[in-house]
Amino acid sequence: CFDYVLQANPEAVGAMNNKSYVLFRMENFPEAEKWAQKALDLSPNNVDSMINLGIATAQNDKKEEALELWERASVLDPDNSKIWSNWGNTLRDMNRIIDSEEKCRRACELDPHDINAMNNLANALRDQGGVEEPLELYQKSTDLLPENHIGHFNRALLLIDQERFNEALVSARYAIAFEKNNSSYYSALSVALRETDDIFGAQVAAGRAIKLDPDNPEPYIDMADVLLKSDRHDDGLAVLEKAKQLNPDSDRVHMKLSMVQDLLSEYEQALESIDAALALSPASPVLWVQKAMLLLKSSRSEEAIETIDYALTLAPRFVKALCLKAEILISTNNNDEAKDVIAQARAIDDTVPG
């Protein structure tokens, strides 16, 4: 209907904003940006136009331009939670995780029922190694809107990270119930099924993910994990090589190759693979933790402690990193310092063993 409106009035800003939003939902980001820019040119202080343009420019990898738009919009409408939430999301995409948390918290304060803000804040906290608060936020978002499949999916991912696989199964199945054509949701289901020893179900779920998105390397990685769990190492490595062919620049492919090489005690090759992953995602604390663990296994404790300390500069509340640091310290007979680090971890997550 907005096209009819624009035919009658080519300068109808509201219709332009509606068209931009629909194009964004269709993932036609260049056209979404074009129409949002037209709207903003006609009405330079229109906050809706700024929001649409900010989202579209961020998706078109013009994140610095998006930040400028969020700054302008926040001056014009400082109590608009959508501005702060999307601002935080852009910062997260730029790996500015602590800044992202700050903006998303502001969004949640302004509107405690803003589901996107909750999800974005939970994501920023998860990136820093948070567990209970992001889980609560994901749960709250799905309680408010049960069909919020993104919230169910993100909760499943965090539960998988925490090895709470039975709970992850529930969340992954809810995500799929509300969105049956997202390959990532089947990938999460595959992981949870694999780790609860339903190997056949895991293989079926991974196969469904591949069928939905055959050019995406991610579901191939999940299929490789299922094969590796079945001790089919050669088949698993072959599937990982397929994933690498699809996207040589996938940090996750290199990370998984590193993990397989680690299982085979090929630590030098594993370190090469994790370095390849870090070259692609140098701000990922998870990758730095993986490297520190490999260095420890290679009896390179001094380098391991330097690496884990760097991971903790990226994510100071990352419990897994703190626990690994304590393990490294114990390996070098620094037991008192290790106790202090464990105390830090327990202050964040009281389920950490003393």
Side-chain angles (χ1 to χ4, degrees), residues 133-149:
E133 187 177 1
L135 281 176
E136 288 172 8
L137 285 163
Y138 292 137
Q139 186 65 58
K140 183 179 178 183
S141 76
T142 55
D143 288 344
L144 287 168
L145 186 68
E147 60 269 32
N148 170 24
H149 51 87

Side-chain angles (χ1 to χ4, degrees), residues 32 35 61 86 129 150 207 224 256 277 284 301 325 349:
W35 283 99
D61 207 24
N86 284 297
I150 295 173
K256 285 292 180 179
S284 168
S301 299
K325 180 173 181 177
D349 180 359

Side-chain angles (χ1 to χ4, degrees), residues 41-169:
D41 289 343
L42 287 167
S43 182
N45 291 328
N46 187 300
V47 171
D48 288 339
S49 301
M50 287 183 193
I51 291 173
N52 286 346
L53 186 57
I55 294 170
T57 53
Q59 287 292 335
N60 290 327
D61 207 24
K62 301 175 184 176
K63 294 183 174 56
E64 292 294 342
E65 291 180 32
L67 291 183
E68 292 177 10
L69 287 160
W70 302 134
E71 184 80 44
R72 285 173 56 195
S74 70
V75 172
L76 291 167
D77 191 0
D79 294 334
N80 188 324
S81 67
K82 291 180 182 178
I83 295 167
W84 296 91
S85 176
N86 284 297
W87 195 349
N89 201 37
T90 302
L91 288 163
R92 179 175 181 251
D93 288 342
M94 299 170 75
N95 286 315
R96 292 172 55 182
I97 306 302
I98 294 172
D99 293 336
S100 173
E101 178 191 344
E102 176 193 342
K103 305 303 182 191
C104 292
R105 279 200 188 280
R106 178 61 178 150
C108 289
E109 289 167 2
L110 289 167
D111 184 355
H113 296 94
D114 186 329
I115 288 168
N116 287 330
M118 285 179 215
N119 281 328
N120 289 341
L121 175 57
N123 290 340
L125 292 166
R126 189 182 77 197
D127 289 343
Q128 297 176 72
V131 178
E132 293 308 321
E133 187 177 1
L135 281 176
E136 288 172 8
L137 285 163
Y138 292 137
Q139 186 65 58
K140 183 179 178 183
S141 76
T142 55
D143 288 344
L144 287 168
L145 186 68
E147 60 269 32
N148 170 24
H149 51 87
I150 295 173
H152 289 297
F153 169 63
N154 283 328
R155 191 167 191 275
L157 291 183
L158 182 50
L159 289 165
I160 286 168
D161 287 343
Q162 297 304 306
E163 301 182 358
R164 293 161 61 175
F165 299 112
N166 286 311
E167 294 172 80
L169 272 176

Side-chain angles (χ1 to χ4, degrees), residues 282-330:
S284 168
V286 173
L287 295 177
W288 287 104
V289 169
Q290 174 77 359
K291 180 171 183 176
M293 183 187 69
L294 290 167
L295 288 166
L296 176 62
K297 289 183 177 182
S298 303
S299 301
R300 293 159 63 179
S301 299
E302 188 173 330
E303 292 172 77
I305 202 72
E306 291 174 0
T307 302
I308 203 66
D309 279 342
Y310 184 71
L312 286 164
T313 65
L314 296 170
R317 294 173 57 81
F318 195 172
V319 171
K320 187 174 180 179
L322 288 165
C323 290
L324 181 57
K325 180 173 181 177
E327 184 180 342
I328 297 167
L329 289 166
I330 289 168

